[in-house]
Amino acid sequence: MKLSNILNSNDISISCEIFPPKSGSELQNAFGIISKIADTGTDFMSVTYGAGGTSVGETVAIAAEIEKNGLPALAHLTCVGADESKIEDILSKLQASGIENVLALRGDLITEGDTKGSFAHASDLVAKIKSYGDFCVGGACYPQGHPEAISLDQDILNTKIKVESGCEFLVTQMVFENEILYNYMYRLMAKGINVPVVPGIMPVTNVSQIKRICELSGTTLPPHFRAIVEKFADKPEAMQQAGIAYATGQIVDLIANGFSNIHVYTMNKPEIIGTIRKNLSELLK
Ligand code: FAD
């Protein structure tokens, strides 16, 4: 199913992201995670591509497994280091596996020797995917501005190019303060960007991981959340409970203020999305 059907309806959707294992031998393990997440009733699952050193080849296999579990899959695809023929090869594999949704990303040059590839910006990849086949294409957006952008306004203008290239929805970088999202929405609308925006919510369960992710992505932790992180840094179970409670509160507030689609960064832990969905069971009816 195309995600545009889900994201443009008024029904509330709570989806989640998983990432492929770092080595192929763990693929069966990933399939087990997918099955457990599917049991929680999540509305769709996205699968990252090459992020954090995960194996790029597995994205198609994992997306196919998500579809086999009866859920729409959103396959991430990055253009760094890939020439046009490699992108076409992956798109043909996605088509052959019945995957209709792609999150088109630029990616980052991480490993020494990485090359830029045929497409400079995610917007170029969006245009390529739309011209290649009948895919529903989304892109990333950054409520606090992409770290490389000279200003938030400039970043929003660049996001507009992505939308004009055929991007049908946007998934945000993780945000820990909803006010930032509400202000961002005003600015998107002022620039004429009207596609569905899906807030990315990260239930923090691992303190050192979140510090690293925030540094890389330019995301800030608000003081009231920083206090939680500092208090429970050495108590993993307490941190997980507090992180899920904080994320649940954020989601309730987002839904109350008009967002109907939320994407949860679950870090491959089915219990996280399961608990969040249980916490929200009455809101999801
Ligand atoms: P772009 O949209 O190309 O933007 C990158 C920078 O270029 C921005 O500063 C933007 O303002 C600027 N820009 C964009 N278009 C133009 C233009 N036409 N002219 C001039 N400047 C322009 N990374 C992975 O490797 N794998 C993943 O699976 C993955 N999933 C992600 C999912 C989400 C929801 C998010 C938010 C990020 C994800 N990333 C992933 C990280 C992403 O690849 C990086 O943040 C990357 O630095 C930017 O990707 P982008 O698609 O936003 O790039």
Side-chain angles (χ1 to χ4, degrees):
M1 186 205 285
K2 292 218 168 56
L3 290 189
S4 46
N5 293 322
I6 295 177
L7 302 177
N8 286 306
S9 96
N10 288 328
D11 295 344
I12 292 168
S13 79
I14 311 272
S15 51
C16 68
E17 176 190 275
I18 69 163
F19 49 84
K22 288 199 172 150
S23 80
S25 61
E26 295 163 24
L27 202 54
Q28 282 308 325
N29 188 22
F31 288 179
I33 292 171
I34 291 167
S35 155
K36 284 188 189 145
I37 292 180
D39 286 346
T40 70
T42 193
D43 290 275
F44 66 89
M45 252 187 263
S46 78
V47 48
T48 64
Y49 184 91
T54 54
S55 166
V56 295
E58 314 293 15
T59 297
V60 178
I62 289 182
E65 185 68 17
I66 292 169
E67 294 276 346
K68 274 188 210 152
N69 275 265
L71 289 180
L74 171 61
H76 295 203
L77 179 58
T78 65
C79 47
V80 285
D83 62 17
E84 195 163 356
S85 65
K86 181 170 179 203
I87 294 291
E88 286 178 352
D89 179 49
I90 294 163
L91 291 174
S92 78
K93 287 183 174 135
L94 290 172
Q95 270 179 335
S97 305
I99 292 143
E100 297 178 276
N101 308 291
V102 181
L103 194 72
L105 300 141
R106 187 198 66 182
D108 290 307
L109 298 173
I110 295 173
T111 315
E112 208 180 317
D114 277 350
T115 51
K116 282 197 164 171
S118 300
F119 304 99
H121 304 292
S123 52
D124 305 319
L125 182 61
V126 171
K128 172 68 198 177
I129 300 170
K130 290 303 286 184
S131 69
Y132 184 87
D134 185 21
F135 288 103
C136 173
V137 183
C141 68
Y142 302 82
Q144 296 185 273
H146 183 268
E148 290 165 31
I150 50 166
S151 68
L152 183 54
D153 272 346
Q154 188 56 53
D155 198 37
I156 290 173
L157 287 173
N158 291 335
T159 301
K160 189 170 184 189
I161 298 174
K162 201 159 18 185
V163 171
E164 287 168 348
S165 303
C167 174
E168 291 157 83
F169 62 93
L170 295 164
V171 183
T172 78
Q173 180 61 280
M174 68 187 117
V175 184
F176 295 100
E177 188 157 28
N178 290 353
E179 289 302 319
I180 290 173
L181 259 169
Y182 302 143
N183 291 335
Y184 184 62
M185 291 305 292
Y186 281 124
R187 293 171 81 144
L188 289 184
M189 278 185 253
K191 293 282 187 286
I193 299 176
N194 296 310
V195 295
V197 174
V198 185
I201 298 298
M202 162 87 81
V204 174
T205 58
N206 178 323
V207 172
S208 52
Q209 189 177 48
I210 195 63
K211 285 191 175 147
R212 203 175 56 248
I213 295 174
C214 285
E215 269 166 28
L216 285 173
S217 65
T219 306
T220 54
L221 295 181
H224 55 278
F225 187 56
R226 223 170 28 231
I228 295 173
V229 169
E230 282 165 12
K231 177 84 179 167
F232 303 116
D234 300 329
K235 296 181 182 142
E237 283 87 12
M239 187 63 241
Q240 172 149 329
Q241 210 168 49
I244 290 175
Y246 187 87
T248 304
Q250 257 193 296
I251 295 171
V252 171
D253 181 68
L254 288 167
I255 293 172
N257 282 285
F259 281 93
S260 51
N261 306 292
I262 313 285
H263 200 54
V264 181
Y265 298 118
T266 48
M267 309 309 284
N268 287 17
K269 293 183 180 166
E271 66 274 20
I272 293 182
I273 185 76
T275 308
I276 287 179
R277 289 194 67 99
K278 218 180 275 170
N279 289 346
L280 299 172
S281 57
E282 290 300 319
L283 282 71
L284 293 172
K285 276 183 185 162

